[in-house]
C-alpha cells in the first residue's frame, strides 16, 4: 500500500471512530473532543489568511466573539434554533470581515496585526456598551438545553470542513496566488495578480469558521460574557497551534491543535501553576528553534508537498 | 501606427532626489530597445513608473495608445506589460513550476505543459519541483524571465536580464529575446554589458541623472560625446 493510501485509510478509521465515539465515550470525552474540534477549526481558519498570505491576524478571536454573540442573541431574543443561529453567526462573521477587511488589508505587516488587535478590543467594548442587547459586562445566559452530542457532530463537521477547504485552496492556483502575496507582494502585483481581492477572499473564508464555531461554543456553554469570547489568549493559541504544526500546510493546524490541546488537557491540567509558563516557553521555543513548525521542517527536509 | 509604449514627460523624485526628470520616449511595436545609463541614472525607477510599482509624480504613460499611469500594477500587467526585476523577485517557497503557474487560469494541465516547456527552454526542467528560493541566482533570473512569458505580454521590460547568467545560457537568453521580437512583441531592456546592447537593440535610450541625454542606434550612441561624458566624466 502506498503511503498516501495508508494515510487516507487512517483518516477514514479516525473519522469513523470519532463518529461513533459519543455512543461509547464518557461525557468528559465528548466535551474534550468537541473542544479539540473547535481548536482545529479555529487554527485552520487562521492558517487560511495568515499562513497563506502572511498577513498575521492578531485579532482573529473577534470573529469567534462576533459569532458567539450573534448566535446567543438570535437564540435568546429571537427564539431561533441553534443550528440556524450558528449558520447566521458564520454569515455575520463574514460580514464583519468584509467591513474591516477592505480598509485593514491595505495595511502592511505589523500594522495589519495591530489593526486586528484593535478591532477585537473595539468589539469587546461595543458588546459591553450595548447592554440592552448583549447583557453588557454581566453577560448573556442562553435558555438551558442539553445538546452536547449534536454540537459535537456539528463542531466535528466544522473542523473537517475547514481542513477540506484548506486542502482545496492549497492545491489550487488560487491558493498559490495567495502564497505569492506572502512570498513577495510587489512581484505578485507585477505578475498581474489582484492582491487586494485575493487577500479579501482569503480573509472572508478565514472568518466564517470562527463565526460558526463561536456560535456553537456559545450554545454549548450556555453563558457568554465579553471577556470569555474575546480573549486575546484565544488568538494567541490559534497562532501557536499553526506555527507549531506548520503554517501554510493542510495538516499543520490539525497537528498543532491536537498536540497542544492534548498536552494541555493531559499534562498541564495536573500542574495548573506552570501551565501558563509552559505555554509561553513553547511559544519561544517554536519561534526560535523551528519557526516553520513540525510539518514545515519535514517539507523543507524531504520536499513533502504542502498537503502533508 | 499606435506606439507600443509612449512616455510623455514622466517625472519621479524621492524626497530631494530627482530619479526621473521629465523623460519622453516612444517604442514602436515589434522592436528591441535598450535603456542604458550610469548607476543611479533612473533606469529602474522608469521601469517602476511604467509598471505602476511606483507612482509617477508628473507626466503621462500610454500603452498601445491607452493611458496607464494611475492604474494598479496588476492592471497594467493584465493589459500586457510584463517585467523582470533587477534583483530577482521569484516566489522563494513556491516551486519553479508553481512560480509560472500562478499567473495562469483555465486548463491546468495545459498550463503545466506550457510551464514545463518554458522551463525546459532555459534548461531548468529537472528543477521544476524545486523551491525557487533554492535555485542559484542565475537560475532565479531565468525563472523570472520565463515567468514573464507565461502571461503572453506584448511589452516586455527586462531589468539587466543577463547579469549573473552564465555564458552558454546567455546566448540562449539573447536568442529568446530576439524571438520575442519576431513574435511581434516589444522589448525594452536595461543592460550594462555594451556587447549585449550592441548585439540586440535597434534603438538605445541613454539616461543620466534622470534626464534622457541621447537616443539612437547603438553604434551612433557609443560615439556620442554626451554619452561618453556621462559614463567616463570629463
Ligand atoms: N525607493 C526609493 N527611495 C529613494 N530613492 C530611490 C528609490 N529608488 C531609487 N531611488 C534613487 O533614485 C535614483 C535612481 O535610481 P535607479 O534605481 O532608478 O537607478 P538605475 O539607473 O536603475 O541604477 P542601477 O544601474 O544602479 O541599477 C538613485 O539616486 C536612487 O538612489
Ligand atoms: Mg537599476
Amino acid at each position: 500500500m502506498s503511503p498516501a493510501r495508508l494515510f487516507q485509510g487512517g483518516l477514514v478509521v479516525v473519522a469513523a471512530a470519532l463518529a461513533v465515539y459519543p455512543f461509547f465515550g464518557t461525557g468528559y470525552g465528548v466535551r474534550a473532543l468537541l473542544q479539540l474540534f473547535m481548536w482545529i477549526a479555529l487554527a485552520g481558519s487562521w492558517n487560511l489568511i495568515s499562513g497563506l498570505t502572511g498577513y498575521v491576524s492578531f485579532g482573529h478571536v473577534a470573529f469567534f466573539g462576533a459569532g458567539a454573540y450573534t448566535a446567543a442573541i438570535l437564540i435568546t431574543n429571537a427564539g431561533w434554533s441553534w443550528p440556524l443561529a450558528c449558520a447566521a453567526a458564520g454569515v455575520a462573521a463574514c460580514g464583519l470581515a468584509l467591513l474591516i477587511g477592505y480598509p485593514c488589508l491595505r495595511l502592511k505587516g505589523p500594522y495589519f496585526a495591530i489593526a486586528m488587535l484593535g478591532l477585537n478590543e473595539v468589539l469587546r467594548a461595543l458588546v459591553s456598551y450595548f447592554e440592552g442587547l448583549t447583557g453588557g459586562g454581566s453577560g448573556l445566559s442562553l435558555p438551558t438545553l442539553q445538546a452536547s452530542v449534536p454540537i459535537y457532530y456539528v463542531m466535528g463537521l466544522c473542523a473537517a470542513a475547514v481542513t477540506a477547504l484548506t486542502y482545496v485552496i492549497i492545491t489550487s492556483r488560487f491558493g498559490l496566488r495567495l502564497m505569492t502575496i506572502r512570498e513577495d507582494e510587489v512581484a505578485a502585483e507585477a505578475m498581474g495578480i489582484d492582491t487586494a481581492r485575493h487577500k479579501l477572499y482569503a480573509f472572508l473564508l478565514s472568518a466564517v469558521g470562527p463565526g460558526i464555531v463561536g456560535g456553537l461554543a456559545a450554545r454549548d456553554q450556555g453563558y457568554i460574557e465579553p471577556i470569555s469570547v474575546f480573549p486575546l489568549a484565544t488568538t494567541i493559541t490559534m497562532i501557536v497551534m499553526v506555527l507549531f504544526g506548520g503554517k501554510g500546510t493542510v495538516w499543520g493546524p490539525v497537528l498543532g491543535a491536537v498536540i497542544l490541546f492534548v498536552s494541555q488537557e493531559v499534562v498541564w491540567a495536573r500542574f495548573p501553576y506552570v501551565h501558563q509558563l509552559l505555554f509561553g516557553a513553547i511559544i519561544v521555543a517554536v519561534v526560535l528553534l523551528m519557526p516553520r513548525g513540525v510539518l514545515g521542517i519535514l517539507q523543507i527536509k524531504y520536499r513533502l508537498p504542502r498537503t502533508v | 501606427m499606435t506606439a507600443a509604449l509612449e512616455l510623455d514627460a514622466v517625472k519621479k523624485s524621492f524626497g530631494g532626489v530627482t530619479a526621473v526628470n521629465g523623460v519622453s520616449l516612444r517604442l514602436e511595436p515589434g522592436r528591441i530597445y535598450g535603456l542604458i545609463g550610469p548607476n543611479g541614472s533612473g533606469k529602474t525607477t522608469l521601469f517602476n513608473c511604467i509598471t505602476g510599482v511606483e507612482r509617477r509624480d508628473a507626466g503621462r504613460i500610454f500603452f498601445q495608445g491607452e493611458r496607464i499611469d494611475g492604474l494598479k500594477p496588476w492592471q497594467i500587467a493584465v493589459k500586457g506589460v510584463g517585467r523582470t526585476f533587477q534583483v530577482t523577485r521569484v516566489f522563494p517557497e513556491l516551486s519553479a513550476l508553481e512560480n509560472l503557474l500562478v499567473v495562469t487560469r483555465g486548463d491546468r494541465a495545459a498550463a503545466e505543459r506550457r510551464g514545463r516547456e518554458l522551463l525546459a527552454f532555459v534548461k531548468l526542467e529537472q528543477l521544476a519541483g524545486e523551491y525557487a528560493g533554492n535555485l542559484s541566482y542565475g537560475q532565479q533570473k531565468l525563472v523570472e524571465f520565463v515567468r514573464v512569458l507565461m502571461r503572453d505580454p506584448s511589452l516586455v521590460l527586462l531589468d539587466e536580464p543577463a547579469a549573473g547568467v552564465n555564458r552558454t545560457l546567455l546566448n540562449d537568453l539573447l536568442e529568446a529575446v530576439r524571438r520575442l521580437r519576431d513574435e511581434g512583441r516589444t522589448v525594452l531592456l536595461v543592460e550594462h554589458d555594451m556587447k549585449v546592447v550592441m548585439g540586440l537593440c535597434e534603438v538605445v535610450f541613454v539616461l543620466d541623472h534622470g534626464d534622457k541625454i541621447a537616443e539612437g542606434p547603438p553604434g551612433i550612441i557609443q560615439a556620442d560625446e554626451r554619452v561618453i561624458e556621462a559614463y567616463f566624466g570629463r
Side-chain angles (χ1 to χ4, degrees):
Chain A
M1 233 185 334
S2 72
R5 279 250 160 269
L6 213 60
F7 184 67
Q8 283 166 10
L11 270 188
V12 172
V13 171
V14 169
L18 290 173
V20 296
Y21 181 78
F23 298 105
F24 307 101
T26 61
Y28 167 78
V30 168
R31 297 199 51 77
L33 281 172
L34 185 156
Q35 286 194 30
L36 174 60
F37 295 155
M38 178 185 90
W39 284 114
I40 291 174
L42 289 176
S45 297
W46 186 84
N47 186 40
L48 284 180
I49 179 72
S50 301
L52 292 181
T53 71
Y55 274 66
V56 175
S57 168
F58 250 104
H60 228 58
V61 70
F63 301 120
F64 176 88
Y69 268 96
T70 304
I73 290 169
L74 286 174
I75 291 169
T76 333
N77 296 359
W80 286 32
S81 68
W82 66 264
L84 209 58
C86 290
V91 175
C94 202
L96 178 65
L98 187 64
L99 208 66
I100 57 165
Y102 194 71
C104 288
L105 286 165
R106 290 153 186 260
L107 303 171
K108 304 270 181 258
Y111 300 101
F112 173 75
I114 298 296
M116 287 300 297
L117 195 61
L119 165 80
N120 190 42
E121 298 308 309
V122 167
L123 272 187
R124 180 160 64 188
L126 280 178
V127 162
S128 306
Y129 182 75
F130 288 102
E131 284 182 27
L133 199 58
T134 63
S138 50
L140 199 60
S141 290
L142 283 76
T144 9
L145 173 80
Q146 253 318 318
S148 271
V149 171
I151 291 174
Y152 169 95
Y153 284 112
V154 178
M155 201 71 105
L157 280 180
C158 283
V162 168
T163 309
L165 178 67
T166 309
Y167 178 88
V168 170
I169 290 178
I170 281 185
T171 52
S172 73
R173 280 173 285 177
F174 171 70
L176 290 179
R177 285 195 281 273
L178 293 181
M179 289 180 238
T180 65
I181 296 171
R182 173 189 76 196
E183 300 290 294
D184 189 333
E185 196 166 348
V186 172
E189 282 267 328
M191 293 310 299
I193 295 169
D194 180 354
T195 57
R197 188 204 298 246
H198 279 78
K199 279 183 286 190
L200 188 61
Y201 287 168
F203 196 54
L204 296 182
L205 289 171
S206 79
V208 180
I212 297 175
V213 162
L216 291 171
R219 175 59 278 179
D220 183 52
Q221 280 148 26
Y223 170 75
I224 57 171
E225 56 182 335
I227 46 167
S228 73
V229 297
F230 291 109
L232 175 62
T234 300
T235 302
I236 294 185
T237 305
M238 290 183 221
I239 297 177
V240 174
M241 284 172 169
V242 176
L243 294 188
F244 184 77
K247 62 181 194 291
T249 68
V250 175
W251 292 102
V254 179
L255 186 72
V258 170
I259 292 179
L260 288 180
F261 181 76
V262 169
S263 41
Q264 184 159 19
E265 286 290 300
V266 177
V267 188
W268 303 347
R270 297 182 194 166
F271 309 101
Y273 297 110
V274 283
H275 169 156
Q276 293 292 334
L277 192 72
L278 265 178
F279 199 67
I282 285 188
I283 297 179
V284 175
V286 165
V287 171
L288 284 181
L289 302 177
M290 42 177 220
R292 334 189 95 268
V294 177
L295 293 182
I297 289 176
L298 292 180
Q299 269 175 38
I300 295 286
K301 256 208 151 110
Y302 304 106
R303 290 298 290 115
L304 293 178
R306 298 178 189 94
T307 48
V308 172
Chain B
M1 196 150 65
T2 8
L5 182 75
E6 193 170 357
L7 270 55
D8 175 25
V10 171
K11 203 167 171 169
K12 175 76 196 175
S13 351
F14 298 102
V17 182
T18 306
V20 175
N21 190 17
V23 169
S24 300
L25 50 82
R26 189 184 154 91
L27 309 187
E28 302 300 336
R31 301 179 129 194
I32 302 174
Y33 293 86
L35 182 61
I36 66 171
N39 293 124
S41 56
K43 306 179 293 292
T44 298
T45 305
L46 196 65
F47 270 23
N48 287 344
C49 290
I50 297 169
T51 53
V53 170
E54 301 277 5
R55 203 175 191 113
R56 91 265 175 275
D57 298 332
R60 296 179 302 169
I61 303 172
F62 299 88
F63 171 62
Q64 296 175 337
E66 194 184 337
R67 194 138 174 209
I68 57 166
D69 51 273
L71 293 186
K72 299 211 172 73
W74 71 268
Q75 293 171 315
I76 295 171
V78 167
K79 284 193 183 297
V81 180
R83 75 169 291 182
T84 63
F85 291 89
Q86 181 171 356
V87 177
T88 57
R89 298 187 87 143
V90 292
F91 306 118
E93 282 187 24
L94 264 52
S95 73
L97 182 60
E98 286 169 342
N99 261 270
L100 309 194
L101 282 183
V102 291
V103 304
T104 64
R105 281 166 206 270
D107 188 346
R108 179 156 182 168
E112 290 199 7
R113 259 197 314 280
R114 168 111 179 102
R116 285 184 194 280
E117 255 168 49
L118 283 171
L119 287 175
F121 169 67
V122 288
K123 314 245 181 321
L124 289 177
E125 68 270 40
Q126 245 92 52
L127 295 169
E130 190 54 64
Y131 278 152
N134 292 347
L135 303 177
S136 77
Y137 187 74
Q139 289 170 329
Q140 291 184 18
K141 279 238 124 153
L142 296 170
V143 168
E144 211 191 22
F145 176 69
V146 290
R147 186 176 69 181
V148 168
L149 305 186
M150 283 299 278
R151 245 197 201 288
D152 216 10
S154 57
L155 172 65
V156 182
L157 309 179
L158 304 172
D159 203 342
E160 303 195 17
V165 174
N166 79 40
R167 286 285 136 205
T168 33
L169 271 176
L170 183 61
N171 286 328
D172 288 344
L173 189 73
L174 301 185
E175 201 39 54
V177 173
R178 283 191 198 96
R179 206 156 79 197
L180 292 182
R181 185 254 331 263
D182 297 341
E183 289 164 355
R185 299 176 222 268
T186 314
V187 180
L188 176 62
L189 62 92
V190 169
E191 190 49 67
H192 282 295
D193 185 339
M194 279 314 281
K195 276 212 274 309
V196 170
V197 175
M198 297 285 283
L200 215 49
C201 303
E202 296 155 59
V203 174
V204 176
F205 305 104
V206 188
L207 289 187
D208 183 34
H209 290 108
D211 291 310
K212 189 179 86 176
I213 56 166
E215 165 178 356
I220 297 178
I221 285 293
Q222 268 199 317
D224 189 301
E225 253 173 58
R226 280 164 308 173
V227 177
I228 294 167
E229 202 173 280
Y231 270 96
F232 302 109
R234 249 163 283 255

